[in-house]
Amino acid sequence: DLLWASITKPSLKFKAGLHLMEDEEGVIRVKKVDGAFEMFTEVKEGDRLLEFQEKDISAYSGGITEIKKLIKESLKIQVRVLKPSGEQQEEEEEDMDDTSAMTLEVAEDDVLVLYGMDRDPELNGKMVKVKRESTKKGRWLVELQETGKKIIVDEDNLFPPSSMH
């Protein structure tokens, strides 16, 4: 889901509240939002920054450093971000639709249980905390609650704790 957002600061001293970070794959993401961005836009933590000031982010040779500097120095800030999963907002509106209950929506910070781990059967039944989606769709970086070890697992191996067999 693409989201277009823009704010205008009353003065340069005013913080925009858009904090960016680069993930391991070099993708610029929203680290957190506060201030004006939190109040006036739908931009959320984890969104991927695609455009800044109506230009593709690849146009900024200085990368994230240059963009952060421009956020500080600009009164008007326009961004276009890609939501990690555009389904979530819609889902809240259509709660009556119980077909969506069949598929598990995996989201960051969910605590889930691993099953069907044929290659690592000792991980079956283990609680994991979802860190983020992997670059491959349907795969997730999760952290084992017991050991804190991070592994990438297939969405099909994640189940809500309530379904413990």
Side-chain angles (χ1 to χ4, degrees), residues 93-94 114-115 136 164:
E93 289 152 28
E94 40 185 79
L114 293 176
Y115 283 116
K136 285 203 193 74
M164 288 184 91

Side-chain angles (χ1 to χ4, degrees), residues 1-5 18-23 26-33 37-38 41-51 57 64 79-89 108 132-133:
D1 240 16
L2 285 175
L3 174 76
W4 201 92
L18 180 66
H19 306 273
L20 301 173
M21 61 165 223
E22 226 168 331
D23 68 16
V27 175
I28 297 180
R29 293 191 184 278
V30 177
K31 182 161 116 192
K32 80 177 215 253
V33 282
F37 257 86
E38 187 176 35
T41 76
E42 287 296 305
V43 175
K44 298 271 187 287
E45 193 181 314
D47 289 355
R48 178 182 185 152
L49 186 65
L50 297 180
E51 288 175 20
I57 55 167
I64 189 168
V79 295
R80 185 186 295 240
V81 295
L82 181 66
K83 296 267 173 219
S85 60
E87 303 88 50
Q88 281 166 342
Q89 274 96 17
E108 288 179 24
R132 63 177 177 77
E133 190 160 13

Side-chain angles (χ1 to χ4, degrees), residues 23-82:
D23 68 16
E24 302 91 294
E25 285 121 30
V27 175
I28 297 180
R29 293 191 184 278
V30 177
K31 182 161 116 192
K32 80 177 215 253
V33 282
D34 48 36
F37 257 86
E38 187 176 35
M39 286 190 291
F40 304 115
T41 76
E42 287 296 305
V43 175
K44 298 271 187 287
E45 193 181 314
D47 289 355
R48 178 182 185 152
L49 186 65
L50 297 180
E51 288 175 20
F52 180 73
Q53 309 300 48
E54 298 185 349
K55 291 205 305 232
D56 190 275
I57 55 167
S58 59
Y60 295 94
S61 55
I64 189 168
T65 318
E66 182 181 353
I67 293 171
K68 282 179 171 173
K69 189 166 169 276
L70 288 164
I71 291 174
K72 278 201 192 92
E73 296 168 358
S74 314
L75 280 177
K76 189 173 170 68
I77 296 168
Q78 294 181 306
V79 295
R80 185 186 295 240
V81 295
L82 181 66

Side-chain angles (χ1 to χ4, degrees), residues 57-161:
I57 55 167
S58 59
Y60 295 94
S61 55
I64 189 168
T65 318
E66 182 181 353
I67 293 171
K68 282 179 171 173
K69 189 166 169 276
L70 288 164
I71 291 174
K72 278 201 192 92
E73 296 168 358
S74 314
L75 280 177
K76 189 173 170 68
I77 296 168
Q78 294 181 306
V79 295
R80 185 186 295 240
V81 295
L82 181 66
K83 296 267 173 219
S85 60
E87 303 88 50
Q88 281 166 342
Q89 274 96 17
E90 293 158 27
E91 220 166 81
E92 287 159 20
E93 289 152 28
E94 40 185 79
D95 276 337
M96 295 75 68
D97 183 13
D98 56 9
T99 51
S100 60
M102 294 309 291
T103 57
L104 173 67
E105 280 293 331
V106 179
E108 288 179 24
D109 291 333
D110 280 1
V111 174
L112 299 165
V113 181
L114 293 176
Y115 283 116
M117 300 288 291
D118 302 333
R119 271 194 253 121
D120 306 289
E122 73 281 359
L123 294 177
N124 285 329
K126 296 271 188 260
M127 303 285 273
V128 293
K129 184 171 187 169
V130 178
K131 287 300 187 187
R132 63 177 177 77
E133 190 160 13
S134 162
T135 36
K136 285 203 193 74
K137 188 116 189 68
R139 299 192 42 90
W140 292 83
L141 178 72
V142 298
E143 183 178 57
L144 290 164
Q145 296 286 62
E146 256 173 57
T147 60
K149 189 175 148 219
K150 292 186 181 68
I151 55 171
I152 293 205
V153 295
D154 219 77
E155 205 162 76
D156 308 339
N157 298 120
L158 294 166
F159 291 91

